[in-house]
Amino acid sequence: MTHWTPALVEERLAEAALILRRLPDPRRRGYFSTWPEIVHSFADKVCQEPKQMRVLPSPQAISRMEETLTWTGCLDPIDGKIVWMKAHGERWKEICYAVGLQRAAAHQHWAYGLSVIALTLNRQPVNRQLSKRKLIRLARGA
């Protein structure tokens, strides 16, 4: 059994966000193309950028991602939004603009969200009466 820390939770959320980006785009059923696939000649490919290869994630990675998606259910909506935006690699400037908080407050909400998730995964009680700073300190030291 793993002892969860906020740093491990952050890594797992970042992995889940990466896997979500790597999944193929959903397709609508019933639509298809009767056009033949276009075969480009060498002259057509000279100035083109190479296509990005899409590597599909493994089934184990998808299972871990699905498990991780449920973790933010115990958070306040603003904390969950900040945690997921940071996991997707958003810059603090965009996060602060989206949630309407200063950078220091947004960072505290992010650390608090990671700490609540870590304590919940460790099956430790989360005392909502504690201040955010004390709960963050408790999760880091535990």
Side-chain angles (χ1 to χ4, degrees):
M1 185 164 169
T2 306
H3 178 73
W4 291 96
T5 62
L8 287 174
V9 171
E10 180 185 5
E11 288 176 19
R12 186 75 173 266
L13 287 167
E15 179 194 17
L18 177 67
I19 291 168
L20 277 173
R21 269 185 255 131
R22 288 174 48 195
L23 289 175
D25 297 328
R27 293 186 181 179
R28 296 185 71 181
R29 293 184 179 260
Y31 291 96
F32 60 92
S33 175
T34 58
W35 286 85
E37 191 169 332
I38 299 172
V39 178
H40 294 285
S41 66
F42 178 75
D44 293 335
K45 294 181 182 181
V46 169
C47 293
Q48 288 184 1
E49 292 289 324
K51 275 189 177 180
Q52 293 231 348
M53 289 185 58
R54 244 192 154 147
V55 181
L56 296 178
S58 67
Q60 294 84 10
I62 293 174
S63 297
R64 284 193 309 271
M65 181 228 17
E66 288 174 344
E67 177 190 352
T68 307
L69 290 176
T70 62
W71 289 358
T72 56
C74 62
L75 299 177
D76 293 333
I78 192 165
D79 296 338
K81 185 173 185 176
I82 291 171
V83 165
W84 271 115
M85 287 180 77
K86 192 64 182 160
H88 280 280
E90 293 288 331
R91 296 179 56 220
W92 281 113
K93 188 172 186 174
E94 283 88 24
I95 294 171
C96 294
Y97 181 76
V99 296
L101 292 173
Q102 298 275 332
R103 192 211 181 280
H107 185 272
Q108 188 176 26
H109 279 269
W110 172 71
Y112 175 75
L114 293 178
S115 300
V116 168
I117 293 171
L119 289 173
T120 304
L121 290 174
N122 289 331
R123 291 189 168 87
Q124 293 179 349
V126 178
N127 188 356
R128 300 286 179 164
Q129 301 297 327
L130 290 177
S131 68
K132 286 186 173 99
R133 288 183 185 175
K134 285 184 182 177
L135 196 110
I136 293 168
R137 214 174 307 126
L138 175 71
R140 286 186 182 161

